[in-house]
Short mmCIF file of all heavy atoms in Angstrom, two decimals:
data_model
loop_
_atom_site.label_atom_id
_atom_site.label_comp_id
_atom_site.label_asym_id
_atom_site.label_seq_id
_atom_site.Cartn_x
_atom_site.Cartn_y
_atom_site.Cartn_z
N LEU A 213 95.70 121.68 117.74
CA LEU A 213 96.68 120.65 117.39
C LEU A 213 96.01 119.50 116.65
O LEU A 213 94.99 118.97 117.08
CB LEU A 213 97.37 120.13 118.65
CG LEU A 213 98.13 121.17 119.48
CD1 LEU A 213 98.90 120.48 120.60
CD2 LEU A 213 99.06 122.01 118.62
N HIS A 214 96.63 119.13 115.55
CA HIS A 214 96.22 117.98 114.73
C HIS A 214 97.10 116.81 115.18
O HIS A 214 98.32 116.84 115.01
CB HIS A 214 96.44 118.34 113.26
CG HIS A 214 96.36 117.20 112.31
ND1 HIS A 214 95.43 117.16 111.29
CD2 HIS A 214 97.10 116.08 112.17
CE1 HIS A 214 95.61 116.06 110.58
NE2 HIS A 214 96.62 115.38 111.11
N LEU A 215 96.48 115.79 115.78
CA LEU A 215 97.23 114.67 116.34
C LEU A 215 97.36 113.52 115.35
O LEU A 215 96.45 113.26 114.56
CB LEU A 215 96.54 114.12 117.59
CG LEU A 215 96.31 115.05 118.78
CD1 LEU A 215 95.77 114.26 119.96
CD2 LEU A 215 97.57 115.79 119.17
N GLY A 216 98.48 112.83 115.45
CA GLY A 216 98.67 111.63 114.66
C GLY A 216 100.04 111.02 114.93
O GLY A 216 100.96 111.72 115.34
N VAL A 217 100.15 109.73 114.72
CA VAL A 217 101.43 109.04 114.72
C VAL A 217 101.76 108.76 113.27
O VAL A 217 101.04 108.02 112.60
CB VAL A 217 101.38 107.74 115.54
CG1 VAL A 217 102.70 107.00 115.47
CG2 VAL A 217 101.00 108.03 116.98
N SER A 218 102.81 109.36 112.76
CA SER A 218 103.11 109.27 111.33
C SER A 218 103.65 107.90 110.96
O SER A 218 104.36 107.26 111.75
CB SER A 218 104.14 110.35 110.96
OG SER A 218 104.34 110.41 109.59
N GLU A 219 103.29 107.45 109.75
CA GLU A 219 103.75 106.14 109.26
C GLU A 219 103.57 105.07 110.33
O GLU A 219 104.50 104.32 110.66
CB GLU A 219 105.23 106.19 108.84
CG GLU A 219 105.50 107.12 107.68
CD GLU A 219 105.94 108.51 108.12
OE1 GLU A 219 106.56 108.63 109.20
OE2 GLU A 219 105.65 109.47 107.41
N ALA A 220 102.36 104.98 110.87
CA ALA A 220 102.11 104.08 112.00
C ALA A 220 102.26 102.61 111.63
O ALA A 220 102.49 101.77 112.50
CB ALA A 220 100.72 104.33 112.58
N GLY A 221 102.08 102.26 110.33
CA GLY A 221 102.30 100.88 109.93
C GLY A 221 101.07 100.23 109.33
O GLY A 221 100.06 100.89 109.08
N PRO A 222 101.13 98.92 109.10
CA PRO A 222 99.97 98.19 108.60
C PRO A 222 98.84 98.21 109.63
O PRO A 222 99.06 98.57 110.79
CB PRO A 222 100.50 96.78 108.35
CG PRO A 222 101.71 96.67 109.21
CD PRO A 222 102.30 98.05 109.30
N PRO A 223 97.62 97.81 109.22
CA PRO A 223 96.45 98.02 110.09
C PRO A 223 96.59 97.55 111.52
O PRO A 223 96.22 98.28 112.45
CB PRO A 223 95.35 97.28 109.34
CG PRO A 223 95.71 97.42 107.90
CD PRO A 223 97.22 97.32 107.88
N TRP A 224 97.11 96.34 111.75
CA TRP A 224 97.18 95.83 113.13
C TRP A 224 98.16 96.66 113.96
O TRP A 224 97.81 97.22 115.00
CB TRP A 224 97.58 94.36 113.12
CG TRP A 224 97.91 93.80 114.47
CD1 TRP A 224 99.13 93.41 114.92
CD2 TRP A 224 97.00 93.58 115.56
NE1 TRP A 224 99.05 92.94 116.21
CE2 TRP A 224 97.75 93.04 116.63
CE3 TRP A 224 95.64 93.78 115.75
CZ2 TRP A 224 97.19 92.70 117.85
CZ3 TRP A 224 95.06 93.45 116.97
CH2 TRP A 224 95.84 92.91 118.00
N THR A 225 99.41 96.77 113.50
CA THR A 225 100.42 97.52 114.23
C THR A 225 100.07 99.00 114.31
O THR A 225 100.20 99.64 115.35
CB THR A 225 101.80 97.36 113.55
OG1 THR A 225 102.10 95.98 113.45
CG2 THR A 225 102.89 98.07 114.32
N GLY A 226 99.62 99.53 113.18
CA GLY A 226 99.30 100.95 113.13
C GLY A 226 98.15 101.34 114.03
O GLY A 226 98.13 102.43 114.61
N THR A 227 97.18 100.45 114.16
CA THR A 227 96.05 100.73 115.06
C THR A 227 96.54 100.82 116.50
O THR A 227 96.14 101.72 117.24
CB THR A 227 94.99 99.62 114.92
OG1 THR A 227 94.41 99.69 113.61
CG2 THR A 227 93.91 99.77 115.97
N ILE A 228 97.40 99.90 116.90
CA ILE A 228 97.91 99.92 118.27
C ILE A 228 98.75 101.17 118.52
O ILE A 228 98.57 101.88 119.51
CB ILE A 228 98.72 98.65 118.56
CG1 ILE A 228 97.80 97.42 118.51
CG2 ILE A 228 99.42 98.74 119.92
CD1 ILE A 228 98.51 96.11 118.54
N ARG A 229 99.69 101.46 117.60
CA ARG A 229 100.53 102.65 117.77
C ARG A 229 99.66 103.92 117.86
O ARG A 229 99.89 104.78 118.71
CB ARG A 229 101.48 102.81 116.59
CG ARG A 229 102.73 101.95 116.67
CD ARG A 229 103.84 102.58 115.84
NE ARG A 229 105.01 101.70 115.83
CZ ARG A 229 105.36 100.93 114.82
NH1 ARG A 229 104.63 100.89 113.73
NH2 ARG A 229 106.44 100.17 114.90
N SER A 230 98.70 104.01 116.98
CA SER A 230 97.85 105.21 116.96
C SER A 230 96.99 105.32 118.20
O SER A 230 96.84 106.41 118.78
CB SER A 230 96.97 105.19 115.71
OG SER A 230 97.75 105.21 114.53
N ALA A 231 96.42 104.19 118.63
CA ALA A 231 95.57 104.22 119.82
C ALA A 231 96.37 104.64 121.05
O ALA A 231 95.89 105.42 121.88
CB ALA A 231 94.93 102.85 120.04
N VAL A 232 97.61 104.13 121.16
CA VAL A 232 98.44 104.48 122.32
C VAL A 232 98.85 105.95 122.26
O VAL A 232 98.70 106.70 123.23
CB VAL A 232 99.68 103.57 122.39
CG1 VAL A 232 100.62 104.05 123.49
CG2 VAL A 232 99.26 102.13 122.67
N GLY A 233 99.39 106.38 121.11
CA GLY A 233 99.89 107.75 121.00
C GLY A 233 98.79 108.79 121.04
O GLY A 233 98.83 109.73 121.86
N ILE A 234 97.81 108.65 120.17
CA ILE A 234 96.71 109.62 120.13
C ILE A 234 95.90 109.55 121.41
O ILE A 234 95.51 110.58 121.98
CB ILE A 234 95.83 109.36 118.89
CG1 ILE A 234 96.62 109.62 117.61
CG2 ILE A 234 94.57 110.23 118.92
CD1 ILE A 234 95.90 109.22 116.33
N GLY A 235 95.63 108.34 121.87
CA GLY A 235 94.82 108.18 123.08
C GLY A 235 95.48 108.78 124.30
O GLY A 235 94.81 109.42 125.13
N ALA A 236 96.81 108.62 124.44
CA ALA A 236 97.51 109.19 125.59
C ALA A 236 97.39 110.70 125.61
O ALA A 236 97.14 111.32 126.66
CB ALA A 236 98.98 108.78 125.56
N LEU A 237 97.54 111.33 124.46
CA LEU A 237 97.46 112.79 124.38
C LEU A 237 96.05 113.29 124.64
O LEU A 237 95.84 114.25 125.40
CB LEU A 237 97.97 113.26 123.02
CG LEU A 237 99.47 113.10 122.80
CD1 LEU A 237 99.83 113.21 121.33
CD2 LEU A 237 100.25 114.13 123.62
N LEU A 238 95.07 112.65 124.01
CA LEU A 238 93.69 113.06 124.24
C LEU A 238 93.30 112.91 125.70
O LEU A 238 92.58 113.74 126.26
CB LEU A 238 92.75 112.24 123.36
CG LEU A 238 92.79 112.53 121.85
CD1 LEU A 238 91.92 111.53 121.10
CD2 LEU A 238 92.32 113.96 121.55
N ALA A 239 93.77 111.84 126.34
CA ALA A 239 93.46 111.63 127.76
C ALA A 239 94.06 112.73 128.63
O ALA A 239 93.57 112.99 129.73
CB ALA A 239 93.96 110.26 128.21
N GLU A 240 95.12 113.38 128.15
CA GLU A 240 95.72 114.49 128.87
C GLU A 240 95.09 115.83 128.51
O GLU A 240 95.53 116.88 129.00
CB GLU A 240 97.23 114.54 128.57
CG GLU A 240 98.00 113.35 129.10
CD GLU A 240 99.49 113.43 128.76
OE1 GLU A 240 99.96 114.53 128.39
OE2 GLU A 240 100.17 112.40 128.85
N GLY A 241 94.08 115.81 127.64
CA GLY A 241 93.43 117.06 127.24
C GLY A 241 94.08 117.76 126.08
O GLY A 241 93.78 118.91 125.78
N ILE A 242 95.00 117.07 125.39
CA ILE A 242 95.74 117.65 124.27
C ILE A 242 95.17 117.13 122.96
O ILE A 242 95.03 115.92 122.79
CB ILE A 242 97.23 117.31 124.36
CG1 ILE A 242 97.85 117.93 125.63
CG2 ILE A 242 97.98 117.79 123.12
CD1 ILE A 242 99.27 117.46 125.90
N GLY A 243 94.85 118.03 122.04
CA GLY A 243 94.43 117.61 120.71
C GLY A 243 93.04 118.08 120.35
O GLY A 243 92.13 118.06 121.18
N ASP A 244 92.89 118.47 119.07
CA ASP A 244 91.62 119.01 118.59
C ASP A 244 91.07 118.29 117.38
O ASP A 244 89.88 118.36 117.10
CB ASP A 244 91.79 120.49 118.26
CG ASP A 244 92.28 121.29 119.45
OD1 ASP A 244 91.46 121.59 120.33
OD2 ASP A 244 93.50 121.57 119.52
N THR A 245 91.93 117.61 116.64
CA THR A 245 91.51 116.82 115.49
C THR A 245 92.53 115.71 115.31
O THR A 245 93.70 115.88 115.70
CB THR A 245 91.37 117.69 114.22
OG1 THR A 245 90.87 116.90 113.13
CG2 THR A 245 92.70 118.30 113.82
N ILE A 246 92.13 114.56 114.76
CA ILE A 246 93.04 113.42 114.68
C ILE A 246 93.02 112.81 113.28
O ILE A 246 92.01 112.87 112.58
CB ILE A 246 92.71 112.33 115.72
CG1 ILE A 246 91.35 111.68 115.42
CG2 ILE A 246 92.71 112.92 117.13
CD1 ILE A 246 91.05 110.48 116.32
N ARG A 247 94.16 112.24 112.91
CA ARG A 247 94.23 111.42 111.71
C ARG A 247 95.05 110.17 112.05
O ARG A 247 96.20 110.26 112.48
CB ARG A 247 94.89 112.16 110.55
CG ARG A 247 94.82 111.40 109.19
CD ARG A 247 96.09 110.62 108.91
NE ARG A 247 95.98 109.75 107.76
CZ ARG A 247 96.72 109.86 106.64
NH1 ARG A 247 97.62 110.81 106.53
NH2 ARG A 247 96.58 108.98 105.67
N VAL A 248 94.46 109.02 111.88
CA VAL A 248 95.16 107.75 112.04
C VAL A 248 95.81 107.41 110.70
O VAL A 248 95.15 107.42 109.67
CB VAL A 248 94.19 106.64 112.47
CG1 VAL A 248 94.87 105.28 112.47
CG2 VAL A 248 93.61 106.95 113.85
N SER A 249 97.10 107.11 110.71
CA SER A 249 97.84 106.83 109.47
C SER A 249 98.12 105.34 109.35
O SER A 249 98.97 104.81 110.07
CB SER A 249 99.17 107.61 109.46
OG SER A 249 98.94 108.99 109.51
#
């Protein structure tokens, strides 16, 4: 699975959205590669 939150936003907002979404999944053992948008 390629993880990412699509159209996450400008750097500040997008970083938070991506960290929460991608981080939650990775912490559950889900995901093999990531792209922050």
Side-chain angles (χ1 to χ4, degrees):
L213 301 186
H214 168 120
L215 301 187
V217 177
S218 187
E219 297 95 30
W224 170 249
T225 305
T227 293
I228 294 170
R229 279 204 184 104
S230 298
V232 173
I234 294 172
L237 290 164
L238 289 173
E240 294 179 16
I242 297 171
D244 302 282
T245 184
I246 67 173
R247 188 263 171 118
V248 173
S249 299

